């Protein structure tokens, strides 16, 4: 099946620094990738939709200047948490939608746990 | 916009007992619905989608338009079924709209 990877799997950083998370579709091309945030024991909250070659679409309440998304190729999207603060600590999950699929199926990455000290 | 609800945060059943995880949706048309599962320390994965009417790992889900429900069922629960289960649907009316997830139900199968 389609595989999505994320790097790093976990990261600890100091408050005020920026952190970049990569999401890659390993064996397929994805015109659309999604970024989710998951707090402990809670559901996935969609943050933004990342489209290859165009600007990301952010959900209401998500700061686009805080969470920078770049989708430079059909296999890579990056999420940069700028000037991270402890409240940004969370589990960040990306997913990729299969190009040309006749239905809406997403494949999820393993997630990245961000801890901001 | 479509929405899904899962009324139970936690559900515990004994091994071998039937299990039903509830999901209700808010849409008057023909929704596209999914069940995703997240095992401990593993990534989220698709369990089944209603349009394919398939059975995965013994789980089935039937769309009930009268009750606007898409409950997930399995006749005999196994310990390896313990996981978080999320009901999901595209937020808009087209199947390519972004998928949103219900709050999830944590299933615990007691040996």
């Amino acid at each position: 099946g389609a595989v999505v990877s994320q790097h790093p799997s976990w990261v600890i950083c100091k408050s005020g620094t920026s952190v970049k998370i990569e999401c890659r579709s390993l064996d397929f091309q994805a015109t659309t990738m999604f970024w989710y945030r998951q707090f402990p024991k809670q559901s996935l909250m969609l943050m933004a939709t990342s489209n290859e070659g165009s600007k990301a679409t952010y959900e209401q309440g998500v700061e686009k200047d805080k969470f920078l998304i770049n989708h430079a190729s059909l296999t890579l999207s990056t999420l940069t948490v700028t000037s991270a603060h402890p409240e940004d600590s969370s589990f960040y999950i990306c997913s990729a939608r299969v190009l040309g699929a006749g239905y809406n199926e997403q494949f999820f990455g393993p997630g990245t746990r961000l801890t901001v000290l | 916009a479509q929405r899904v609800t899962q009324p139970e945060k936690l559900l515990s059943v004994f091994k071998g007992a039937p299990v039903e995880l509830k999901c209700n949706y808010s849409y008057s048309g023909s929704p596209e619905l999914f069940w995703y599962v997240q095992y401990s320390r593993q990534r989220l994965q698709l369990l089944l989608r209603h349009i394919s009417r398939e059975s995965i790992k013994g789980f089935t889900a039937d769309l009930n338009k009268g009750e606007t429900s898409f409950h997930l069922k399995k006749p005999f629960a196994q310990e390896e079924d313990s996981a978080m289960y999320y009901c999901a649907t595209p937020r808009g009316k087209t199947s390519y709209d972004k998928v949103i997830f219900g709050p999830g139900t944590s299933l615990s199968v007691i040996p």
Side-chain angles (χ1 to χ4, degrees):
Chain A
V3 179
V4 175
S5 70
Q6 280 184 243
H7 178 80
S9 54
W10 59 270
V11 56
I12 301 172
C13 69
K14 291 183 178 179
S15 186
T17 60
S18 294
V19 174
K20 180 187 281 189
I21 302 170
E22 292 185 349
C23 176
R24 292 183 186 271
S25 55
L26 298 185
D27 49 2
F28 66 100
Q29 293 181 323
T31 53
T32 304
M33 291 182 172
F34 302 92
W35 287 96
Y36 294 85
R37 187 173 179 176
Q38 186 179 34
F39 289 106
K41 299 189 185 299
Q42 293 190 29
S43 186
L44 285 76
M45 298 299 295
L46 180 65
M47 298 175 65
T49 303
S50 171
N51 295 297
E52 186 267 336
S54 64
K55 289 184 179 180
T57 305
Y58 290 82
E59 295 301 301
Q60 193 172 12
V62 177
E63 299 175 61
K64 56 183 70 175
D65 294 331
K66 174 91 175 153
F67 299 99
L68 300 178
I69 291 172
N70 184 276
H71 195 151
S73 76
L74 287 172
T75 59
L76 173 64
S77 175
T78 60
L79 168 69
T80 301
V81 183
T82 62
S83 187
H85 290 284
E87 58 265 29
D88 298 324
S89 298
S90 189
F91 197 53
Y92 292 88
I93 303 172
C94 75
S95 70
R97 190 156 62 196
V98 177
L99 180 66
Y103 47 80
N104 193 341
E105 179 164 3
Q106 297 178 53
F107 296 92
F108 287 81
T112 296
R113 184 162 303 285
L114 169 64
T115 302
V116 184
L117 302 176
Chain B
Q2 295 196 66
R3 200 166 62 92
V4 289
T5 56
Q6 294 176 254
E8 301 147 328
K9 275 193 131 175
L10 300 168
L11 182 64
S12 294
V13 299
F14 285 101
K15 178 182 173 181
V19 61
E20 181 179 74
L21 295 145
K22 293 183 168 56
C23 171
N24 290 91
Y25 64 91
S26 61
Y27 182 54
S28 58
S30 296
E32 185 172 2
L33 292 156
F34 310 89
W35 275 100
Y36 282 85
V37 61
Q38 188 174 30
Y39 298 102
S40 179
R41 300 185 183 281
Q42 293 188 31
R43 70 186 70 198
L44 201 68
Q45 54 186 294
L46 180 66
L47 184 61
L48 56 81
R49 65 179 76 88
H50 94 275
I51 57 172
S52 61
R53 300 187 64 79
E54 54 195 345
S55 172
I56 304 295
K57 299 185 179 182
F59 284 97
T60 58
D62 290 317
L63 181 65
N64 185 322
K65 290 188 178 181
E67 296 181 357
T68 60
S69 69
F70 187 58
H71 302 332
L72 184 68
K73 300 177 183 178
K74 186 170 183 177
F76 308 104
Q78 303 298 316
E79 290 180 64
E80 55 266 29
D81 296 329
S82 296
M84 279 294 296
Y85 290 83
Y86 296 97
C87 186
T89 186
R91 190 165 66 185
K93 293 186 178 182
T94 68
S95 62
Y96 281 94
D97 274 322
K98 51 201 74 173
V99 172
I100 56 169
F101 292 84
T105 298
S106 176
L107 174 65
S108 178
V109 180
I110 305 164

